[in-house]
Amino acid sequence: MSKISSMKKILLLLILGISITLLPNFVQGVKAEELDSESNTSQIFDEFINSFFKDTSKVNVTNSVGLDYTKEFLSATENLYTQNNLQEIKRFIVDNKLLL
């Protein structure tokens, strides 16, 4: 039983060592992917925003606690939309934790 117990300890230490070694690489990869995804907009996002701005009288924007944010959103993003700056619109949505 002593050999099995010591083998378990060695195996756990090995797993722990590998985890600690690989974790920084994983975290850096995630950060790079997040930054890349934030700087670009997807075709789905572009299509959604285009349909959103076609008729703004029927849209509803809320913040993360459910308060109406429609007027604020439109006043902050209508100019960006006319300039086709969808990246900044996406950033505004993310930064303000909005639901469209």
Side-chain angles (χ1 to χ4, degrees):
M1 297 250 308
S2 177
K3 285 186 178 183
I4 293 175
S5 183
S6 64
M7 287 178 67
K8 284 183 182 179
K9 288 179 184 177
I10 292 172
L11 183 60
L12 287 173
L13 286 173
L14 181 63
I15 291 171
L16 181 63
I18 291 171
S19 299
I20 291 172
T21 304
L22 295 178
L23 186 61
N25 294 332
F26 174 74
V27 171
Q28 286 177 349
V30 171
K31 286 181 181 176
E33 288 173 13
E34 287 173 358
L35 290 174
D36 185 44
S37 69
E38 288 178 8
S39 66
N40 296 316
T41 59
S42 68
Q43 182 179 355
I44 294 170
F45 178 82
D46 296 354
E47 290 171 0
F48 175 78
I49 290 297
N50 287 330
S51 67
F52 181 92
F53 278 99
K54 279 184 182 175
D55 187 5
T56 57
S57 66
K58 297 180 182 179
V59 298
N60 185 32
V61 180
T62 58
N63 65 9
S64 60
V65 294
L67 298 176
D68 186 16
Y69 211 81
T70 307
K71 288 180 183 176
E72 293 87 349
F73 176 78
L74 291 174
S75 68
T77 59
E78 281 180 323
N79 230 5
L80 295 171
Y81 181 73
T82 58
Q83 297 169 356
N84 200 34
N85 194 344
L86 302 183
Q87 290 176 345
E88 283 302 312
I89 294 173
K90 180 181 177 182
R91 187 179 321 276
F92 186 84
I93 293 168
V94 171
D95 289 348
N96 292 286
K97 299 176 183 157
L98 302 177
L99 302 171
L100 280 67

